[in-house]
Structures are given as structure tokens and as C-alpha cells.
Amino acid sequence: MTDKPNVLLICADHWAGDMFGVAGHPVVQTPGLDEIAQAGVRFTRAYSECPVCIPARRTLMTGLSPRGHGDRVFKDDLRFPQVTTLAQAFRDAGYQADAVGKLHVHPQRDRIGFDSVLLDDEGRPQWGVVDDYDIYLGDAGYPGRQFDHGMSNNQYHWRAWHLPEETHATSWAGRMMARVIKRRDPTRPAFWYLGFRAPHPPLVPPQAFLDLYEGLEIDEPYHGSWLKDADEMPFAVSAVWQRMNRYSPAQLRAARKAFYALCTQVDYQIRYLVGTLRMEGLLDNTIICFTSDHGDMLGNHHMLAKRVFYESAACIPMVLRGVQGCKRLPEGRIDNRVAGLQDVMPTLLDLCGIPIPSHVEGVSLLSDKPRPWLYGECSEGDHSTRMLHDGRFKLIYYAMGNSFQLFDLQADPQELTDLSDSAEHAALLEKMKGLLAAQFYGQDLEWLDGGKFVGLPNKTFRLAPHRNLNSQRGDGWPPSPPVDIPQIEWHRNTHGEEQPA
């Protein structure tokens, strides 16, 4: 046995920062995560520096900002930066490092520093790789059947899971991580990474978890007073907004229910893993961290999914539970400092007494000197949006339309009121605009003229038909050949513009 702490890092997908019972969410059921949060520290102002899957995961695994690792868009064929990853840093310190679930790297079998990876890459056969979850389904008698439900990975229609519950990707991931824990090397400490693909669509929870929400009143989306007609909104907002027009209020309410059921299924798997650690005699000496790559708008402000810096998409869960008696992570603490995914790597290494690699841009959340602000950036060109957050006030900038929004999250946590035209906040706005401009690089510098924001002229967005049904998957047996297809046409404009994401 070793006296060094083990680490279990769990990353969900599309999980917003307020989506816990302990955070006051009125509907979602997360009893396991609530107890973990009550036994440790919950960071309420944690954000995804680029709220879209691949850039966020690169930040998590390198401690680098999007500028540092080279992706603020969604470059699915970009190799990992040649730096010491989180997994490699643990291995260099004598740890075994194993991963289960979603990594979202290229090429798919790149282990990015882990000793082993049991991969669930969400069904991306276009790269010519069959991942471990697909192999499992074949061994279980369901080869190529994971998408027989007919739901898209990027739409919000839903149905119950079509196979036995134990074959669901969430169940498989929890079970495989339990097996990895049981098969550990007892002479070395362990770093375990579990990447759940849920609650990312397709919205296909097992029926048992849908049943837990029967009879519960599903909360309605909220909408800011700053919302106007689509043509009057910044181009990037209009593009995200118009993707929701295909869903009626009843359909959206049902989608939220299915989404919450997926969250509860993840929570149950985490409880199962806590029980596994306890029965293996490891729980008291294991650090647990739960986070997500980004959130999901789920209808709030008439939007779905991510790629914007509103709270539902950009604010993420960040929960840390230390080893027994850890004075650095006192039980039940709420920490309101502004934080980012880049801070996870230095925080976990700091907790384990491991040197932090020199390339890391993040800071340990155990530091007595919290960062004064956090910068966020997502997309390039017409869809660009940028953020500066000082822990209370959030500034959002849309280059196309040269539009600003300012929110006081202390007084207005749902961002219902835009303060950018408020005379009372004019000085604060100018200060934050100056800090924001200082972060620009590359093509972003064209949005400035003599230090003043000029941006780009706004234009109209009209959502075009998506011929591929937003990354629809289909029959997986026999395996399809490698093909040159975009993963998703995130925004497709009738004006002819297409932006693969």
C-alpha cells in the first residue's frame, strides 16, 4: 500500500454549474454528488474558457488556455500539444494513470500520457477506429446497435434507451472504472480519469431514470429582458437561438426531463464508484474531483447547447473532496472565486505534492491569491464571442455587430438584465473593455482601431436545412469505412456559410 493519495477525476459533458440539488436546482436529482459536495469544497464561479468539447478538454488535460493549446473553435483533427499532460505529470511522479470513457482527442487512440485508456468516443467511426464501448456492445451481442434509437448527438428530441440498462454508455463507463480500480497496482498511487459522455445528447436515458421524474414539475426556461427579435441580436446569438425554433415548449420541457434523467444516471454511477472505493479500503485516501467541459443552455434565453458565455453554457460544476482530515479542503465550504478548467491540473498536482509543469497557465485553487479575472474565447470569424469575468461582473463581447453585454451575477445570477447601457456601470464597463482588449491576439486585433472596439458589421443569420440531421449516426455493423465527413455542421446559413464544429 502507498500513503500517497489517489485521485479520481470525473468529467461529465454538457453539465451546467447549478445542476445539483445542493446548488438549489428545483428539479434535478443528484444525491451522490450533493453528499460529495457537502464533504468538500464547491466552486460556484468555475467556467469553461471555451465552452465547446474539444477545446475545453484540451484545457483540462494540459492546464493551458485555448490560446496556449491552439484551439478555440473545435479542431477535431488537431493533435495534442507537445507538453506534459495531467496524466503524464502524475505518471512522472510515480502514479499509475488510467482513463475510461470520453477523451475526444486526435488520433482517437492517443493516450495523452495515460497508461491505459478504455475508450468511448461517442461513435465516431469516420476516423476508422472502433472504440472499446463499441467492442463491448459487440461482445454483449449488440454489434453496431448503439444508435438504433435514431436520436442525433446534437439535437434535443428524445426517447428511452433501447437496449438493456447495463449496456448504456453511462453504465458501461462506471462499471469499467470500477474494474480499473479493482485491478490497480497496490504498490503505487493511482490517478483515475472518468469521462462520462452524458448528459450530452442523444437524449436516451434508461426508463428507470425517466421514472424518477414522473410526477415532478419540470422547470421552465428563463429569458432575459435584453432578448429582441433574432435579426436585432448579434449574429452569433441569432445563430444559436435559431437552432431552438424547431422545438415546441412541450418538446423542450420533455427534453429537459430526459436531460435531467441522464444527469441522475451519472450521479448513480458516481455513487456506485464511491461504494467501490469504500469497499476496496480506498475512499479515505482518494481525492474526488467532479467537473464538466461546459454546460447547456437547455432553452434558457431561447438557446440550446453551448458556444456562448451565458451561465448555463459556460459555468461548470467544480467539486473537490479531499482525503480524510484534509485541512486544505474543509467540509462544506462554498468558494466563490472565479476559476477555469485550466486550474484543475495545478490544483490536483498541488494537493498531491507534485511539481506543476512550467507550461501550465492555470493556478491552484488552494492558493490564497485568487485570480483577479478570467478570460474566455470561443469561435473565430463571424461567430466569435469573448468573455471577461472578475468574479462578480461578466462582460461578453460579440465581434460581429460590435456588441457588449454586462451582467452583475451577484444581483442577477440568471443574467436577466444587461447593464452595458447603465450609466451607473459606465466606468466599470470601460475598465473591463480595456482588460478584454488586452487579451486579443491574431485576427481579434482587427476588431480594434486605436484601442477602440470597432468589431465587424452585423449581418442576418437564417438557419438552413441540415441535410445530415446534425451529426446523425446510424447502423454500425459491419463497421463503416473511414470517410471524410465533418462531425457536425454547427451553424449552416442560407447565405451559404457553413461552419463545421
Side-chain angles (χ1 to χ4, degrees):
M1 298 290 289
T2 173
D3 291 331
K4 293 183 178 180
N6 303 301
V7 178
L8 174 59
L9 170 59
I10 302 169
C11 181
D13 196 326
H14 275 236
W15 193 303
D18 66 348
M19 211 164 281
F20 301 103
V22 74
H25 195 281
V27 182
V28 71
Q29 301 176 54
T30 55
L33 284 167
D34 291 349
E35 289 193 358
I36 292 173
Q38 290 163 349
V41 179
R42 182 166 62 91
F43 296 88
T44 63
R45 291 281 185 263
Y47 290 85
S48 179
E49 293 89 339
C50 182
V52 65
C53 300
I54 291 176
R57 292 167 190 276
R58 288 168 71 90
T59 292
L60 176 66
M61 288 295 174
T62 64
L64 289 168
S65 66
R67 179 176 185 172
H69 62 59
D71 187 10
R72 56 182 176 180
V73 182
F74 184 105
K75 299 178 181 178
D76 56 354
D77 59 355
L78 183 66
R79 289 181 177 268
F80 236 63
Q82 296 300 303
V83 297
T84 299
T85 63
L86 177 56
Q88 189 62 54
F90 273 108
R91 287 179 65 197
D92 290 346
Y95 277 64
Q96 56 192 305
D98 300 290
V100 172
K102 184 175 180 179
L103 282 186
H104 218 168
V105 300
H106 183 78
Q108 278 178 308
R109 289 294 183 181
D110 185 348
R111 293 185 177 180
I112 61 168
F114 286 100
D115 289 297
S116 72
V117 175
L118 286 171
L119 186 66
D120 172 19
D121 213 22
E122 208 178 38
R124 294 186 175 87
Q126 66 265 31
W127 301 116
V129 175
V130 178
D131 66 33
D132 296 294
Y133 174 63
D134 274 322
I135 294 171
Y136 155 74
L137 285 179
D139 289 343
Y142 305 102
R145 305 274 63 92
Q146 73 159 303
F147 291 106
D148 285 6
H149 50 64
M151 298 294 100
S152 167
N153 283 50
N154 290 283
Q155 290 180 333
Y156 289 76
H157 308 292
W158 72 278
R159 55 154 290 177
W161 178 242
H162 61 293
L163 297 175
E165 182 180 324
E166 65 267 20
T167 66
H168 195 282
T170 296
S171 300
W172 176 85
R175 194 166 62 249
M176 290 303 100
M177 179 51 70
R179 184 61 54 85
V180 166
I181 290 170
K182 283 179 170 289
R183 296 181 68 243
R184 69 194 180 279
D185 178 348
T187 68
R188 300 165 59 198
F191 169 59
W192 299 301
Y193 173 74
L194 175 53
F196 284 114
R197 67 159 81 167
H200 190 302
L203 301 182
V204 287
Q207 185 63 48
F209 293 96
L210 286 165
D211 291 346
L212 294 175
Y213 287 86
E214 280 301 313
L216 298 183
E217 184 176 350
I218 302 301
D219 56 321
E220 297 289 338
Y222 53 79
H223 308 118
S225 61
W226 43 269
L227 289 162
K228 307 172 185 176
D229 291 339
D231 291 351
E232 299 179 70
M233 299 299 297
F235 181 83
V237 175
S238 182
V240 177
W241 189 357
Q242 290 185 47
R243 294 189 74 221
M244 205 188 85
N245 290 346
R246 69 191 71 189
Y247 305 98
S248 69
Q251 287 175 320
L252 187 58
R253 193 177 305 113
R256 290 167 79 97
K257 174 181 175 180
F259 194 97
Y260 296 161
L262 287 171
C263 291
T264 300
Q265 186 189 11
V266 168
D267 183 83
Y268 274 47
Q269 288 301 312
I270 293 173
R271 299 174 77 188
Y272 164 72
L273 288 172
V274 167
T276 301
L277 290 168
R278 178 175 173 270
M279 292 174 67
E280 293 288 307
L282 300 173
L283 186 59
D284 287 343
N285 195 39
T286 298
I287 297 162
I288 299 175
C289 178
F290 177 77
T291 189
S292 181
D293 55 354
H294 50 76
D296 193 303
M297 293 302 292
L298 271 186
N300 294 329
H301 305 312
H302 293 300
M303 298 179 216
L304 286 166
K306 58 250 185 178
R307 288 188 171 272
V308 288
F309 281 104
Y310 303 113
E311 288 293 281
S312 295
C315 186
I316 55 174
M318 190 79 73
V319 174
L320 264 174
R321 193 219 70 151
V323 300
Q324 187 177 46
C326 179
K327 295 181 180 179
R328 306 179 77 188
L329 293 172
E331 294 183 356
R333 174 180 287 181
I334 303 297
D335 195 315
N336 297 317
R337 76 180 73 189
V338 67
L341 281 172
Q342 64 190 279
D343 300 331
V344 172
M345 179 171 177
T347 301
L348 294 179
L349 295 177
D350 185 8
L351 271 172
C352 296
I354 299 172
I356 298 170
S358 59
H359 76 267
V360 169
E361 298 177 68
V363 297
S364 172
L365 296 176
L366 307 175
S367 169
D368 292 332
K369 296 181 179 180
R371 64 170 75 248
W373 45 262
L374 182 74
Y375 173 64
E377 52 183 333
C378 188
S379 297
E380 295 178 342
D382 295 350
H383 294 275
S384 297
T385 178
R386 305 291 182 256
M387 175 197 78
L388 192 93
H389 195 320
D390 70 1
R392 174 177 175 178
F393 291 95
K394 181 200 295 182
L395 180 68
I396 299 175
Y397 175 64
Y398 297 101
M400 176 151 285
N402 197 39
S403 176
F404 291 93
Q405 292 179 312
L406 180 66
F407 298 104
D408 180 354
L409 294 175
Q410 181 174 301
D412 179 24
Q414 294 182 332
E415 299 165 308
L416 302 178
T417 304
D418 176 14
L419 302 173
S420 60
D421 290 331
S422 163
E424 181 183 350
H425 296 87
L428 172 67
L429 176 66
E430 289 305 309
K431 176 184 176 181
M432 295 187 73
K433 287 169 66 174
L435 291 170
L436 181 68
Q439 306 309 308
F440 285 1
Y441 61 94
Q443 66 174 233
D444 295 14
L445 296 173
E446 299 174 7
W447 305 335
L448 301 172
D449 184 4
K452 294 186 177 181
F453 286 84
V454 293
L456 302 168
N458 206 18
K459 64 182 182 183
T460 301
F461 182 90
R462 285 289 181 272
L463 187 68
H466 281 211
R467 295 170 58 88
N468 64 19
L469 299 183
N470 280 281
S471 194
Q472 180 70 48
R473 272 78 151 172
D475 195 323
W477 185 259
S480 302
V483 288
D484 184 19
I485 56 174
Q487 181 172 318
I488 176 177
E489 295 170 350
W490 183 262
H491 301 117
R492 186 163 179 261
N493 197 343
T494 54
H495 294 167
E497 176 217 10
E498 297 183 12
Q499 181 188 349

